[in-house]
Amino acid sequence: MSLPSHRTQRALVVAITLIAATCGALPVTQAAPPAAGARQDFNGDGYEDLAVAAPYATVGGKAKAGYVAVLSGSASGLRTSSKKVYSQASAGIPGTPEAGDLFGSRLAAADLDGDGYTDLLVESLGEQWQQDGVEHSGTRTVLWGGPAGLTSGTVLPAEGTGRLQAPLTVAGDFDGDGHQDLARDGRVLLGPLGRDGRPAATQENAPSPTPTC
């Protein structure tokens, strides 16, 4: 894999600086390299896009509600004029902005439903919610990629009865079947994921995963 040119590196720095000017943004990170040929290409145009989180940003007057901004790639690099902002106030994104939600606490990019478009997993460490009458803290929301970019989202169902639902999640192909999976705390959600957020299967008590690349 070739290293990015100095021009591309400068473009990334400029893009991050522009978005982070007021909110202390955090760039998307991956704990391991993506699968071969995978890109952070949310709209499938062949150019890599950049997602940057601002979990401490104010949204709708709610402090630290948080948002994620995406810059689209092009033949000439990242287009700062194309910045789109996604929060729980955005159309198609589930939830409601609340103080301290920290939407965008962590990000992971992968084609989770296997449709050829990169999706974006957004963790919200401060979100308080219920499922089946059980209180939980933290959500993981998948923003689904497509020809128009990220246009809709799904909150992943709670796993077990544990309160904390948004520990560090790593994306990768952990069983080598060509589908992207999600791993956290000894549990692996095997892909592809459905648009309801449910995996093809679940592996429990898994060792520390090593994605195949």
Side-chain angles (χ1 to χ4, degrees), residues 60-126:
K62 306 296 184 181
K64 299 181 181 179
Y67 69 76
V68 176
V70 174
L71 298 179
S72 296
S74 70
S76 58
L78 292 169
R79 294 185 288 117
T80 57
S81 61
S82 71
K83 184 181 77 172
K84 294 183 179 180
V85 175
Y86 301 90
S87 74
Q88 290 177 307
S90 301
I93 309 303
T96 302
E98 298 171 313
D101 278 351
L102 301 178
F103 184 79
S105 303
R106 301 189 187 100
L107 304 178
D111 180 7
L112 297 174
D113 59 355
D115 66 351
Y117 297 95
T118 302
D119 310 306
L120 186 66
L121 180 74
V122 182
E123 297 190 4
S124 305
L125 289 179

Side-chain angles (χ1 to χ4, degrees), residues 174-212:
F174 302 115
D175 59 357
D177 67 350
H179 296 295
Q180 293 292 295
D181 314 310
L182 293 175
R184 49 149 280 195
D185 279 359
R187 176 183 284 120
V188 180
L189 303 182
L190 298 172
L193 270 64
R195 285 298 180 100
D196 60 358
R198 299 190 181 280
T202 301
Q203 181 181 357
E204 302 287 354
N205 302 316
S208 297
T210 301
T212 58

